[in-house]
Amino acid sequence: MKKLTVLLLVLAVAFSAFAQGGSEATKQTTTQSPAKTETTAPAAPATYTFNQALSVFPTNWNTHTYETNTETEIGDYIQDGFYTFDYNEDETGYKVVPAIAVGEPKDVTAEYVGKYGITEGSVNQAYVITIRQDLKWDDGTPINAYDFVESQKRLLNPVAQNYRADNLYSGNMVVYNAKEYLYQGKTVELDNGANAGYTMADLHKGADGQYYSAKEEPVYIGLDFALAWTNNNTLNDYVGAYGSDYFDTTNWEALMAKADDKGLIPLTDENYALFVPVTTNNPNWGETEDDVPNYFVYAATYAPLDWSEVGYQALSDYEILICLTKPLKGFYLLYSLTSTNLVKIDLYDACESIVDGVYTNTYCTSAETTPSYGPYKLTSFQADKQFVLERNDNYYLFNDRPDLYQTTSIVTDYVPEASTRLELFLQGKLDGYGLTIDDMKTYSLSDYCYYTPGDSVFFMAFNPDPEKLATMQAAAGAGINKTILTLLEFRQAMSFALNRADFCLATSPTNEPGFGLYSDLIICDPENGTPYRSTNQAKNVLVNFWGLKDDIGDGKLYEDVDEAIESITGYNLTKAKQLYDVAYDMAIAQGLMKETDVVEIKIGTPNGTSKFYNNGYEYLVNCYTEAVKGTKFEGKLRFTRDDTLGNGFADALKNCQVDMLFGVGWTGSTLDPYNLMEAYTSSNYQYNPCWDTTKENITINIHGVDYTASVRDWNEIMMGEARTITPAKGEGIEYSCGDADNDPETRLDILAALEMAVLMTYEEIPIMGDASASLKGMQIKYYTENYIFGMGRGGIKYYTYNYTDAEWDAYCASQNYVLKYN
């Protein structure tokens, strides 16, 4: 299982498919293994090598900094969690069991009242985890509780600003003061009305003429800065929408001319005098000078913080105390502890460097810089060629369960071409092969063919950032248009013009069309195994988004919601053509496009060798070229391709170096769709960070009352953080609805509303669900023939072999290295 934090995932680049539990699929028929060839017993101990190939190679598997799913091809083998997934007693499902930990976490909340933010009456906020006493690194160095604590300290290093630092303060598990430690010494701008509430009397004027708080925090006026009391809108939003009907706009242009890139101007006597009339002179806005401080913003600096104030401490050599800012218990507590963030301190520190003020760390980027406390250790790594993992004899589980991990080594080669991977597989040199569209006719009915249901939905992604698109448009030359992508109607047309079923047939026939953010495998209630898509809330999202809500009921087109969902195809060429014409007229009217312009969309792909991406690019070009025929875009839409992005595809879109991606998505939170939503609402993860979710408001009905808050705030509320929500009438209230609040239906309501909000941007358009077909080599045996959710068919942990390496080589030689799998 992947950790619950989100990961970037590239479709069809790593089709080895057999490396870990949870990655295999339902087999079509029973596997038959060939008879063994008689061989002389080897003198040396028998070896069992698992051979696989990847079309994209990992480059950084540092548990503190990795970003893409590719990096887990090494990371998953050299690490372990406090808890892990295993088969349940009758091997029909999964359970979470101790791994590094001994027993369940012990709730000690009552013992820490008055410490680490825990107050009288707090529950489920402090736990002691006891760890095993036989933990070692692969070189034999013992591991104790202090190593785990020092690892968290480095994860939260304020200088490093590690990508995975939010493991400790975002999502279900929020460690007390983790974020404060990470940001110590850094300055952030805070909304005065929602925080300190300073009045003019609280401030003093500095020598530079700007006003400061008693803490010497500089104070500004927020002109285009999101304010909590306006539901995270900015004053500029209101002035732009209502103008002189509600405001005195006489000084507005002069004020905005002074604003910095954050929408702030220093609070000085001059600026204050210019600003006061804006909000006080027009009675329709109804404010007085006493209300002006609500628009103030002050720059607060996180205070220095000693690690002793962070809720992650060692109580002894084998006891770890974790204190949280919000309650967490049961499944999600254990799920949050399925990783540890552990690093080998001496080596990690030796890999650090700061050059010209830039922090870098080469830990886990080579065999020499990669220690292991998992079942395997990295013994060789050659970039874009091969890496080798061998059994780590110091792994604790080998003492408890010598029957597990029969695999003695894992050899992974870089083979970008599918045809070469198939050739190697048929020679017996690979133990698995992911079928491409060209292989299905030959091997889809093979006894060795296994089908893999996936948890991901893959998207066509845009980042319609107006400024960046304008820059790229200018660089592309005269007559080239890219800013058309900022129009919702154009992106809607791109969605409705795509025949998803045909796209799947052209690229990956085992996949199915995708219509929502989450697949059928995403579980919203792991205790009962309830899929999110089976809930009424999730079903309503689909029928509402695809415009079928009014067609359901007695005497209507669809008898019920399920029938309506079954009818969804996502393809409506007539509607697409109408939207193309609407978008064209809007672009001309708004000056986004000239009639002589040609729209050029650059599509990015990780490589130029994948059949999925090659076929997908060709299909999309042909699809959209045909779709605009008979519209005002006919002859005005063309595509180019950048196939050199590798693992940097997400950054390329964020920076608008390419205009569009396809076959991209997220994985890692199969059992926690609430946490996964952060991938779409947080700028730390979004493919489309131009969508400012702190300013986008949505209204959700909570127990019969409609409340409004920003998309980002609703996400935080769903994760148990208290945020202000505002009714149509009356005062706003502080509200949270995390798991510990025991209101699962309301939490589902929020999740579904957020899914709808993301879909309605048409910036990440679902196109296909994840599934694949793979051939299993004759050398290996799965533990369970049936696919078990959460465990797959057992993974490397449970795989066994029909042959030793020597026996397998002899058998392949006897077949002249031409094996029959069809």
Side-chain angles (χ1 to χ4, degrees):
M1 296 295 298
K2 304 291 186 271
K3 190 181 182 301
L4 80 165
T5 48
V6 287
L7 297 170
L8 293 171
L9 176 69
V10 186
L11 180 67
V13 298
F15 266 86
S16 53
F18 301 106
Q20 290 285 348
S23 63
E24 307 84 6
T26 304
K27 189 177 184 302
Q28 195 170 42
T29 57
T30 303
T31 298
Q32 302 293 322
S33 297
K36 293 186 179 181
T37 301
E38 292 297 326
T39 59
T40 302
T47 59
Y48 303 92
T49 302
F50 184 83
N51 294 284
Q52 63 176 353
L54 299 175
S55 59
V56 174
F57 241 43
T59 57
N60 164 41
W61 44 98
N62 181 345
T63 186
H64 292 181
T65 58
Y66 78 99
E67 297 186 27
T68 72
N69 197 43
T70 304
E71 318 304 346
T72 65
E73 294 291 342
I74 293 176
D76 281 353
Y77 297 108
I78 62 174
Q79 302 164 8
D80 205 352
F82 291 115
Y83 298 89
T84 191
F85 283 78
D86 207 341
Y87 288 103
N88 61 14
E89 285 71 14
D90 58 5
E91 298 180 349
T92 59
Y94 65 85
K95 62 180 179 180
V96 182
V97 299
I100 287 175
V102 177
E104 298 282 305
K106 180 183 178 182
D107 190 338
V108 294
T109 306
E111 299 175 27
Y112 285 87
V113 172
K115 301 177 182 178
Y116 301 113
I118 296 173
T119 59
E120 194 70 44
S122 296
V123 294
N124 308 129
Q125 284 185 236
Y127 293 94
V128 170
I129 299 171
T130 301
I131 63 171
R132 299 175 63 108
Q133 298 185 21
D134 56 353
L135 301 175
K136 297 179 182 179
W137 290 102
D138 58 285
D139 65 359
T141 303
I143 299 172
N144 61 34
Y146 296 96
D147 294 309
F148 289 94
V149 173
E150 286 298 317
S151 295
Q152 315 313 312
K153 189 174 182 179
R154 282 154 180 78
L155 174 63
L156 296 174
N157 182 350
V159 176
Q161 292 291 303
N162 289 311
Y163 182 79
R164 293 282 166 187
D166 64 355
N167 285 357
L168 294 181
Y169 65 81
S170 179
N172 287 309
M173 176 171 280
V174 179
V175 174
Y176 180 76
N177 266 345
K179 186 174 183 179
E180 287 73 12
Y181 186 87
L182 175 70
Y183 284 101
Q184 62 178 298
K186 294 190 178 299
T187 300
V188 293
E189 287 77 25
L190 297 177
D191 173 356
N192 181 53
N195 292 279
Y198 296 131
T199 67
M200 284 299 293
D202 298 320
L203 309 177
H204 67 276
K205 185 162 58 176
D208 58 356
Q210 184 171 1
Y211 280 86
Y212 292 79
S213 71
K215 297 179 182 179
E216 297 302 327
E217 299 160 326
V219 182
Y220 302 85
I221 302 173
L223 303 180
D224 201 17
F225 186 92
L227 303 169
W229 71 273
T230 61
N231 291 320
N232 285 303
N233 289 307
T234 73
L235 181 59
N236 191 42
D237 293 332
Y238 284 102
V239 174
Y242 301 112
S244 58
D245 290 341
Y246 282 83
F247 301 95
D248 182 340
T249 59
T250 305
N251 301 331
W252 190 249
E253 287 189 12
L255 285 164
M256 286 298 296
K258 297 183 176 188
D260 62 15
D261 58 359
K262 296 177 181 178
L264 303 173
I265 62 172
L267 176 59
T268 63
D269 290 334
E270 178 186 358
N271 289 340
Y272 182 81
L274 286 171
F275 179 80
V276 168
V278 174
T279 59
T280 62
N281 276 7
N282 193 320
N284 288 333
W285 191 241
E287 289 186 349
T288 70
E289 192 168 348
D290 290 340
D291 299 307
V292 168
N294 288 328
Y295 299 95
F296 291 172
V297 175
Y298 62 96
T301 300
Y302 278 90
L305 190 67
D306 188 81
W307 184 261
S308 63
E309 299 297 318
V310 179
Y312 204 116
Q313 302 292 327
L315 299 181
S316 70
D317 283 350
Y318 303 107
E319 292 178 303
I320 300 170
L321 171 68
I322 300 178
C323 296
L324 311 175
T325 63
K326 59 183 181 180
L328 186 62
K329 63 181 180 179
F331 175 84
Y332 284 117
L333 172 63
L334 300 183
Y335 192 31
S336 297
L337 295 169
T338 53
S339 67
T340 67
N341 308 310
L342 180 65
V343 295
K344 195 168 188 292
I345 301 302
D346 56 348
L347 181 56
Y348 187 93
D349 290 350
C351 291
E352 289 182 321
S353 65
I354 300 177
V355 178
D356 295 330
V358 178
Y359 174 94
T360 57
N361 195 313
T362 58
Y363 185 78
C364 282
T365 58
S366 67
E368 294 74 22
T369 60
T370 302
S372 170
Y373 63 102
Y376 296 90
K377 58 185 179 181
L378 185 66
T379 57
S380 172
F381 181 84
Q382 301 175 72
D384 288 340
K385 185 175 182 181
Q386 184 187 78
F387 64 85
V388 178
L389 291 149
E390 296 181 356
R391 182 182 170 99
N392 172 18
D393 291 331
N394 282 311
Y395 183 52
Y396 67 88
L397 195 59
F398 294 154
N399 297 321
D400 296 351
R401 294 289 305 274
D403 57 311
L404 300 177
Y405 293 104
Q406 186 178 8
T407 303
T408 54
S409 63
I410 303 167
V411 177
T412 305
D413 291 309
Y414 175 63
V415 185
E417 297 82 12
S419 60
T420 306
R421 295 197 297 273
L422 177 59
E423 181 182 349
L424 292 170
F425 175 77
L426 295 177
Q427 292 172 2
K429 296 178 181 179
L430 294 178
D431 289 312
Y433 170 69
L435 297 175
T436 70
I437 185 173
D438 296 336
D439 306 315
M440 294 302 292
K441 182 177 181 180
T442 303
Y443 296 107
S444 63
L445 299 180
S446 167
D447 286 350
Y448 300 94
C449 183
Y450 288 73
Y451 289 86
T452 305
D455 63 355
S456 298
V457 170
F458 295 106
F459 301 91
M460 180 166 59
F462 300 96
N463 179 29
D465 185 303
E467 293 183 4
K468 290 180 180 177
L469 284 173
T471 299
M472 299 305 293
Q473 178 174 295
I480 299 299
N481 184 274
K482 291 182 180 292
T483 53
I484 188 72
L485 290 172
T486 62
L487 293 181
L488 173 65
E489 290 75 10
F490 184 84
R491 301 192 302 275
Q492 288 176 320
M494 298 290 279
S495 177
F496 286 110
L498 180 63
N499 186 322
R500 288 158 173 79
D502 284 355
F503 180 81
C504 290
L505 288 175
T507 57
S508 184
T510 58
N511 287 351
E512 296 182 348
F515 306 114
L517 289 191
Y518 293 159
S519 76
D520 293 339
L521 286 187
I522 297 295
I523 305 299
C524 64
D525 179 4
E527 300 286 357
N528 298 303
T530 305
Y532 167 68
R533 287 260 77 95
S534 71
T535 66
N536 291 331
Q537 290 92 333
K539 291 178 181 180
N540 287 332
V541 169
L542 293 183
V543 296
N544 290 339
F545 178 67
W546 292 104
L548 303 179
K549 178 182 178 181
D550 296 333
D551 297 326
I552 301 170
D554 293 339
K556 296 185 178 181
L557 189 59
Y558 306 108
E559 183 176 341
D560 54 31
V561 170
D562 291 332
E563 184 180 348
I565 290 174
E566 283 296 316
S567 75
I568 296 173
T569 67
Y571 181 56
N572 188 332
L573 187 58
T574 300
K575 186 171 184 177
K577 288 179 180 291
Q578 293 171 348
L579 285 164
Y580 276 126
D581 282 340
V582 170
Y584 183 89
D585 291 341
M586 291 176 65
I588 297 298
Q590 296 177 19
L592 288 176
M593 183 176 175
K594 298 177 181 178
E595 293 184 358
T596 56
D597 282 354
V598 172
V599 173
E600 181 181 275
I601 298 176
K602 181 183 287 188
I603 298 177
T605 63
N607 57 60
T609 58
S610 163
K611 282 188 176 292
F612 172 83
Y613 286 110
N614 290 343
N615 291 350
Y617 176 76
E618 181 180 350
Y619 181 90
L620 292 175
V621 172
N622 291 335
C623 166
Y624 292 124
T625 301
E626 288 297 314
V628 298
K629 287 184 177 179
T631 76
K632 297 175 182 179
F633 280 105
E634 183 171 359
K636 296 178 180 292
L637 179 63
R638 71 187 187 197
F639 296 86
T640 61
R641 181 181 182 185
D642 184 343
D643 60 8
T644 65
L645 302 183
N647 286 341
F649 58 94
D651 288 337
L653 184 65
K654 290 178 181 180
N655 297 325
C656 285
Q657 294 167 320
V658 296
D659 307 311
M660 170 181 159
L661 301 173
F662 69 92
V664 295
W666 299 92
T667 189
S669 282
T670 309
L671 302 173
D672 192 358
Y674 308 99
N675 191 32
L676 182 57
M677 184 55 69
E678 189 171 32
Y680 305 97
T681 64
S682 170
S683 59
N684 292 333
Y685 299 107
Q686 290 170 292
Y687 285 99
N688 56 329
C690 68
W691 185 41
D692 188 346
T693 57
T694 67
K695 296 181 180 180
E696 181 84 10
N697 291 329
I698 58 174
T699 299
I700 301 176
N701 188 278
I702 305 295
H703 302 305
V705 178
D706 288 341
Y707 289 97
T708 299
S710 72
V711 167
R712 186 63 190 152
D713 277 351
W714 281 119
N715 195 110
E716 296 295 320
I717 288 167
M718 183 177 67
M719 297 309 296
E721 300 289 343
R723 295 289 185 270
T724 300
I725 58 176
T726 306
K729 296 181 180 179
E731 297 293 324
I733 62 171
E734 288 289 295
Y735 184 69
S736 70
C737 190
D739 178 63
D741 294 298
N742 199 29
D743 191 357
E745 286 301 307
T746 300
R747 201 175 187 219
L748 268 175
D749 291 340
I750 297 172
L751 178 63
L754 290 172
E755 181 186 19
M756 187 69 174
V758 174
L759 290 171
M760 289 301 293
T761 68
Y762 285 87
E763 293 174 12
E764 292 179 71
I765 299 171
I767 57 175
M768 65 196 308
D770 182 17
S772 62
S774 302
L775 293 175
K776 177 184 73 67
M778 298 174 188
Q779 186 186 14
I780 62 173
K781 290 192 295 185
Y782 291 150
Y783 183 69
T784 52
E785 280 297 304
N786 292 324
Y787 177 86
I788 306 298
F789 181 80
M791 290 302 297
R793 298 179 186 279
I796 285 289
K797 182 176 182 178
Y798 282 97
Y799 286 171
T800 55
Y801 289 75
N802 293 310
Y803 303 86
T804 66
D805 287 344
E807 290 169 342
W808 180 244
D809 288 343
Y811 174 75
C812 293
S814 73
Q815 303 299 307
N816 295 317
Y817 297 99
V818 180
L819 306 183
K820 298 295 184 182
Y821 283 93
N822 59 342

